[in-house]
Amino acid sequence: ESSDHESSLGLSKTSVDHLFIQASKQWLRGQDVPKEKRKSRIIRWLQYRGFNWGVISIILKKLESQHPP
């Protein structure tokens, strides 16, 4: 059940989905940039907004699965 996992992040599924859409825009904006650099940009972008590593890693996994290199 994924809701337990999400509640431990302090974010609802809707919030995670919304955040993922925002992160996707950031990700796609950097298409000419190497993948590692794109990842570090997303990490910085999320950390700046105060998200913890649990949230950041979920967003990164989703980005990588939806936007393969």
Side-chain angles (χ1 to χ4, degrees):
E1 171 65 303
S2 69
S3 63
D4 293 343
H5 189 50
E6 274 150 8
S7 63
S8 71
L9 298 173
L11 282 178
S12 66
K13 171 137 177 41
T14 313
S15 300
V16 173
D17 289 345
H18 180 71
L19 190 59
F20 175 66
I21 291 164
Q22 298 289 314
S24 291
K25 288 177 187 164
Q26 295 283 330
W27 184 264
L28 294 171
R29 197 176 290 161
Q31 283 183 310
D32 51 343
V33 177
K35 187 175 177 192
E36 287 309 309
K37 189 163 183 175
R38 286 161 87 180
K39 281 173 73 169
S40 60
R41 274 185 190 170
I42 293 286
I43 292 167
R44 272 203 310 275
W45 181 78
L46 289 164
Q47 284 175 333
Y48 180 73
R49 281 160 180 75
F51 293 103
N52 66 30
W53 187 247
V55 174
I56 293 169
S57 63
I58 285 175
I59 297 294
L60 282 176
K61 279 194 190 90
K62 281 179 80 135
L63 283 169
E64 291 183 310
S65 64
Q66 301 230 346
H67 304 289

